[in-house]
Amino acid sequence: MQVQYFLLLAAALFCIGIFGLITSRNAVRVLMSIELLLNAVNLNLMAFSNYIDPQNIKGQVFTVFVITVAAAEAAVGLAIVLAIYRNRDTVDMEQFNLLKW
Amino acid sequence: MAQYLLQTVWLVPCYALIGAVVGGVWSPGIIRRTGPRPAGYVNAIMTFFGFFHSLFALQAIWNQPAQQLSYTWLNAAGLNLSIDLELSAVSIGAMLLVTGLNLMAQIYGIGYMEMDWGWARFYALVGLFEAGMSALALCNSLFFSYVILEILTLGTYLLIGLWFNQSLVVTGARDAFLTKRVGDLFLLMGVVALLPLAGTWNYTELAQWASTAKIDPRVATLLSLALIAGPMGKCAQFPLHLWLDEAMEGPLPATVLRNTVVVSTGAWVLIKLQPVLALSPVASAFTIFIGALTAIGASLIVIAQIDIKRALSYSVSAYMGLVFIAVGAGQDNTALVLLFTYAVAMATLVMATGGIVWNNITQDLTQLGGLWTRRPISGLCFIVGALGMIAAPPFGSFWALLQLGDHLWKTQPWLVGVLLTVNALTTFSLTRVFGLIFGGKTQTMTARSPELNWPFVLPMTILAGIVLHVPLLLLTWNLLPNWANFDIAIAGLLIASTGAGYYLGARIYLNDRWPKPVQFNKPIQDFFAYDLYTAQLYRITVVFAVGLISQIVYWIDRYIVDGLVNFVGIFTVFSGQSLKYNVSGQTQFYALTILSGIALLGLVVSWPFLSHLSLIVGS
């Protein structure tokens, strides 16, 4: 077990999150992809905390904060999706292109 | 008193200018009620003053050494432009000729311009010419000669274009200006190139410089050729001769001047430059060649003309060609004498034919005829003028031609042949014109043709009288060839050529039984009648080339230079118009852009480390 494997796993998860973030048509799946990104970040923080800073474990503290903020962000994000849904009756991301050129 | 008049002889050009300016007040737009005639009277009076002033000045300078006057015009950065004047018997004599002929032409104009409203413009321009030519006669500086020549070129343009509602006048004035301008510009090159070599533009100093100068023969040749090009255009020499033909569209009193003194301005400068031209044998040969070519060519053309004015204008080119030959052969004095004898004779001829045009309307020689019994004065003046021009023994030009022939016989005998040919052809053509106007049967256009009133007859007869007195004048001025050493054979040949020309001309044109119009080999007749197709020649060479180049340059300017700048603008507009589609409105696309940016930035920043990455993974 080395730190690199954790980092690679986190990077892979991040990339999957990016892919989902950019390609998803459903707004909720976009939010879910963001959660994946944040979890990838959390993995990184935990890995670094474990292998590089096992004494002070600042990374774990960061992770707690990230989870907290992620929860808040998901709440606000879902609220925004609901607000848009009420106006436009859809959560299709490709319908939300009113602010173009 | 005489000395005072001599010292103030530079006022003569000013008189003419004052006349021109004051006369301009009677322009129809300014004085609207009383008609334009005072313009002519004012100018004639000023010319009269100028004539008598130069006459007294000539008496004062006679047999005296030449005097030099100099005024600084501009002195800047080491270049001293001074207006040098030379008061010599020759220069003041030339001025006398100019003012005298102007006086005659202006009095003639009073008659000729009777039915015209443009007196102010006409007389202002004639006054400008008089001023310019008098100033040129006095001027002893090449630079200011050039300045005056250019002003006269502009004057020619305006004077030919007097009646500008006629389309042929407009094209004629255009051609006269451009053709003479081209020659003048070459002259300017020569003038500018001469200063570093000689260090002066004063003719006297130039002659001194040329007598000892040692310069590269090629430089001398190019310089002399440029200096010849100006007079070539001014004197209507081949190939810059078409303008004189087209200048015959202008008013006739101006033609009197143009045929006599205006074309002589170029010859005057050429004569003054002779010492410089003599530096290069090639240039002398070129001068002679051009002169001979023009003399022969123009005398042939003149025979084929049916327009009364053009039938004289080509003789002008021919005689200027003889002057060129004289200058090329180093015969300055002969050239000056020839200019004098020729000018008075030609003025008489043009005035005599102008009177015919005035009340027979047509200028077409084939429509004239049978005027001798009813127009004796015009006829006699024509005969006197003709005799004064050709080599008819006691009369003027004979002596000049004799002197020239005598000299040429010793140096370049073949040129005597040219001289004889030109003389014979000119005699033939003058006999032809005389025969067609005065001989033969009366035609419709000449059925009623009264002799003219005094403003025509007075100057014409005075000039005829002067022509008759020219031999006496030459005798008193000691300008006749020395009896002891001139070749009787040359005189005999000249007289024989005159006789041959006259005999042939009289046999054809003073003979009612010879069928008119005279038919000859048609292509040759046309070739000369259309002045060797010079107009077409210009059109397919210079005019075509300049036209083509200007079209190309215009095209390049319009499409390539303008296009390049416009392309920058269009490109910017196009890029703005197309790049705006990057703002797609898709949030996910923005996210992709941001992430691509971060990835790219990361890649660039970590580029130095990336090469080690594979090593780490590999280990």
Side-chain angles (χ1 to χ4, degrees), chain A residues 1 10 12 17 19-20 24 27 39-40 43 47 66 70 82 89 92:
Chain A
M1 296 294 267
F19 181 77
S24 306
N39 285 335
L43 257 179
V66 170
L82 271 176
D89 263 346
D92 186 353

Side-chain angles (χ1 to χ4, degrees), chain A residues 18 20-25 30 93-94 96-97 99-101, chain B residues 580-592 595 616:
Chain A
I18 293 288
L21 173 73
I22 291 166
T23 54
S24 306
R25 289 185 66 177
V30 172
M93 287 298 280
E94 292 187 3
F96 305 149
N97 60 351
L99 289 174
K100 61 185 176 186
W101 55 84
Chain B
K580 74 181 182 188
Y581 295 109
N582 277 332
V583 186
S584 61
Q586 295 284 353
T587 320
Q588 287 165 299
F589 182 71
Y590 302 156
L592 176 65
L595 285 165
I616 295 166

Side-chain angles (χ1 to χ4, degrees), chain B residues 283-337:
Chain B
S284 296
F286 180 73
T287 315
I288 291 177
F289 171 73
I290 288 289
L293 192 70
T294 311
I296 304 261
S299 330
L300 284 169
I301 291 171
V302 92
I303 292 170
Q305 297 299 311
I306 57 161
D307 184 307
I308 193 167
K309 287 174 83 179
R310 286 171 169 80
L312 290 175
S313 78
Y314 279 99
S315 281
V316 176
S317 289
Y319 267 69
M320 287 300 124
L322 294 184
V323 172
F324 265 59
I325 293 178
V327 174
Q331 291 289 90
D332 303 5
N333 286 330
T334 313
L336 283 173
V337 175

Side-chain angles (χ1 to χ4, degrees), chain B residues 15 28 54 120 129 147 195 204 324 335 386 406 519 521-522 537 552:
Chain B
Y15 294 150
S54 11
F129 263 95
V147 170
L195 189 67
T204 322
F324 265 59
D406 204 27
Q519 292 299 328
N521 185 339
K522 181 82 175 139
L537 194 70
I552 292 172

Side-chain angles (χ1 to χ4, degrees), chain B residues 442-454:
Chain B
T442 304
Q443 302 208 40
T444 321
M445 296 302 281
T446 59
R448 287 182 298 280
S449 179
E451 193 57 279
L452 292 157
N453 55 346
W454 70 268

